[in-house]
Amino acid sequence: MDKRPASIPSPKKLLYDYIAEQGTVSKLDLLNVFSFTKSTMTRILEEMTNEGLLIESGFGESSGGRRPILYQINPSYGYILGLEISRVYSSLGLFDMHMNPKSITHWRMDQTFTPERFLEHVSLQTRAFLRDHQLEESQIIGMGIGAVGPLNREKGLILTPLHFPAAGWNNFPICRLVEEQLGFKAVLDNGANTALLGERWSIRHANIQHMLYVHAGAGLRYAMMSHGQIVHGTMDMEDAIGEMIIQTDGPRLNNKGNSGALEAFVSLQALEQRARSEASMSRDQFLDTYKVTAENVNYDVLVKALRDDHPYALKLFTDAAFHFGIGLANVINLFHPETIILGGALIQSHELFFRTAVEVAQNNIYRYPEYRPQFSLGTLKEEAVVTGAAIMVRNQMDLGIK
């Protein structure tokens, strides 16, 4: 029996991951990176090709002799499902091994989406994907899940998520139930981490090593990547950014968490609470314009007002973006990433929010402008979580030790 720790990848896995990252490579390219002998490299590539892991994809440029064979991973070796579990919208995607999306579906989460109904919906959508693409269950390698935290990743549990419209999500064994109902291996991480994996994959050829992802929506979530690897704490830390104190003795969101925490200023819930409170104290034209009572002011109404350039909505969102920029600067000053990707409903609400948050963050970044991180809305956006969840499964593939 091989005594090496499971964390040490096999030679096949090392080659497979490198080829997946690069796209197409020659044997010489691989020999320049890995310390295998030429005969060992030839043997491993032949084995991986015979097993269907790799395919030959043409010939490279000649350097004086025979043109080298180029290799890439086989896109149809298997297929992977990526699942997003979020508070507002959830998604399911089917991907080939190149992370090309074959099908992706999104649905709105409401009070009817209990865990039981959610799993039923996922099961029906999965069967539809298989039918549409004429796939067998045996061709599915697994399902990656990016979910709202906090989580227990090792046990595959969603622990105590806040702000879900339906009840029943506490201590929910999502991985076990997916495996029982669908028969696929399931792996779990928080949605911010999988979103960052997805976004980093979309710009992998830029070779960015240090990245930050922040999602501002029903709550605040974030993820960090250092040297190309997701940073995991001793506990799931996805929502920790929301508890960052930016105003001593400030408000609390729903009488929970820290006083003066960032989430009390920057979240769908925070904006709704402020708007309802201010509307109830004065009969503003805002209520008459949008034909709502103070109690019925919700995020959809506020976004419509923002896009109508209503002065009250502009101030409300500008204030939130200012506070968000302060929180963002605090995280950046601790980490100094190369790229910061911002996502979520608040970021997408209006270009004003993104612009204001970035300007405030830049004005409060230590050593700016010598240090100039890149701010981005991302490439994959609403498909980042499911893509990253699928990548997580591919990253954990066991290719054996030979």
Side-chain angles (χ1 to χ4, degrees):
M1 177 184 291
D2 195 290
K3 299 294 185 182
R4 287 188 294 180
S7 59
I8 298 177
S10 68
K12 283 185 180 180
K13 188 68 168 69
L14 288 171
L15 292 181
Y16 188 86
D17 289 346
Y18 182 81
I19 296 169
E21 186 90 358
Q22 298 301 313
T24 57
V25 297
S26 68
K27 182 163 61 177
L28 180 59
D29 294 330
L30 296 171
L31 288 169
N32 288 333
V33 174
F34 297 97
S35 57
F36 300 142
T37 65
K38 187 173 182 180
S39 61
T40 297
M41 181 68 74
T42 299
R43 176 181 62 82
I44 296 175
L45 289 174
E46 286 179 353
E47 288 179 1
M48 295 177 72
T49 302
N50 291 336
E51 292 168 8
L53 289 164
L54 302 181
I55 57 174
E56 297 179 359
S57 60
F59 296 92
E61 294 296 325
S62 172
S63 58
R66 183 180 301 174
R67 295 173 64 193
I69 297 171
L70 297 178
Y71 296 90
Q72 65 175 236
I73 64 171
N74 181 1
S76 58
Y77 173 77
Y79 297 85
I80 303 173
L81 291 157
L83 175 64
E84 174 183 10
I85 305 176
S86 193
R87 301 175 178 105
V88 182
Y89 286 97
S90 289
S91 308
L92 180 69
L94 175 70
F95 298 83
D96 67 16
M97 302 307 290
H98 282 181
M99 292 301 116
N100 296 315
K102 311 303 288 184
S103 292
I104 295 181
T105 182
H106 307 270
W107 61 94
R108 182 76 180 252
M109 298 287 280
D110 58 30
Q111 66 273 14
T112 70
F113 268 99
T114 62
E116 294 74 22
R117 183 173 176 231
F118 182 89
L119 280 174
E120 179 184 4
H121 185 78
V122 169
S123 180
L124 289 172
Q125 292 297 323
T126 298
R127 304 302 177 199
F129 285 173
L130 296 180
R131 185 173 59 251
D132 292 346
H133 296 282
Q134 299 180 342
L135 299 176
E136 301 294 331
E137 291 183 10
S138 60
Q139 294 176 270
I140 303 298
I141 291 174
M143 175 183 285
I145 304 170
V148 170
L151 312 172
N152 184 318
R153 293 184 298 117
E154 289 73 21
K155 294 183 178 180
L157 294 174
I158 298 175
L159 296 176
T160 54
L162 298 175
H163 314 314
F164 263 80
W169 287 92
N170 286 1
N171 298 310
F172 185 62
I174 180 66
C175 287
R176 176 175 64 80
L177 292 176
V178 164
E179 291 171 1
E180 289 176 357
Q181 294 194 22
L182 295 175
F184 308 138
K185 175 179 172 56
V187 293
L188 176 68
D189 204 339
N190 69 57
N193 285 345
T194 58
L196 183 51
L197 277 176
E199 290 291 0
R200 194 263 174 185
W201 169 258
S202 72
I203 56 172
R204 60 194 177 280
H205 297 304
N207 197 32
I208 296 171
Q209 296 296 301
H210 308 285
M211 297 178 67
L212 174 68
Y213 173 85
V214 184
H215 175 104
L220 293 174
R221 299 184 278 163
Y222 86 120
M224 296 189 299
M225 178 177 286
S226 184
H227 298 289
Q229 300 296 316
I230 294 292
V231 177
H232 288 106
T234 55
M235 297 182 66
D236 184 63
M237 61 182 191
E238 177 192 48
D239 58 353
I241 188 174
E243 291 304 310
M244 176 194 305
I245 298 171
I246 62 168
Q247 179 182 313
T248 305
D249 298 326
R252 298 173 71 203
L253 185 62
N254 297 323
N255 294 317
K256 297 178 181 178
N258 290 326
S259 296
L262 184 62
E263 193 173 56
F265 297 89
V266 189
S267 64
L268 272 61
Q269 306 257 346
L271 265 66
E272 288 178 343
Q273 286 186 15
R274 176 179 167 183
R276 290 167 186 166
S277 174
E278 292 176 347
S280 66
M281 290 188 293
S282 63
R283 290 295 302 171
D284 192 273
Q285 290 182 350
F286 178 84
L287 298 179
D288 296 331
T289 300
Y290 294 96
K291 297 179 172 57
V292 292
T293 64
E295 296 77 15
N296 293 327
V297 174
N298 60 28
Y299 183 72
D300 291 338
V301 172
L302 295 174
V303 169
K304 184 178 188 314
L306 175 66
R307 293 172 181 172
D308 290 342
D309 292 330
H310 190 283
Y312 176 74
L314 288 169
K315 183 178 188 320
L316 187 72
F317 279 83
T318 300
D319 288 350
F322 175 86
H323 288 105
F324 182 65
I326 293 296
L328 198 56
N330 288 337
V331 179
I332 293 169
N333 287 334
L334 289 172
F335 181 45
H336 285 78
E338 299 163 81
T339 297
I340 298 105
I341 296 175
L342 305 179
L346 281 174
I347 305 298
Q348 301 296 334
S349 62
H350 195 284
E351 64 89 22
L352 166 78
F353 195 99
F354 177 81
R355 185 182 71 243
T356 302
V358 169
E359 287 177 358
V360 172
Q362 287 175 334
N363 290 337
N364 291 276
I365 289 175
Y366 180 57
R367 290 186 176 172
Y368 187 85
E370 294 86 355
Y371 160 65
R372 288 178 177 267
Q374 296 296 312
F375 292 86
S376 169
L377 291 169
T379 302
L380 300 178
K381 297 183 173 64
E382 68 271 12
E383 296 179 359
V385 174
V386 290
T387 304
I391 291 169
M392 182 170 60
V393 173
R394 193 183 69 186
N395 287 348
Q396 295 184 25
M397 284 173 56
D398 181 8
L399 301 184
I401 301 173
K402 294 189 178 179

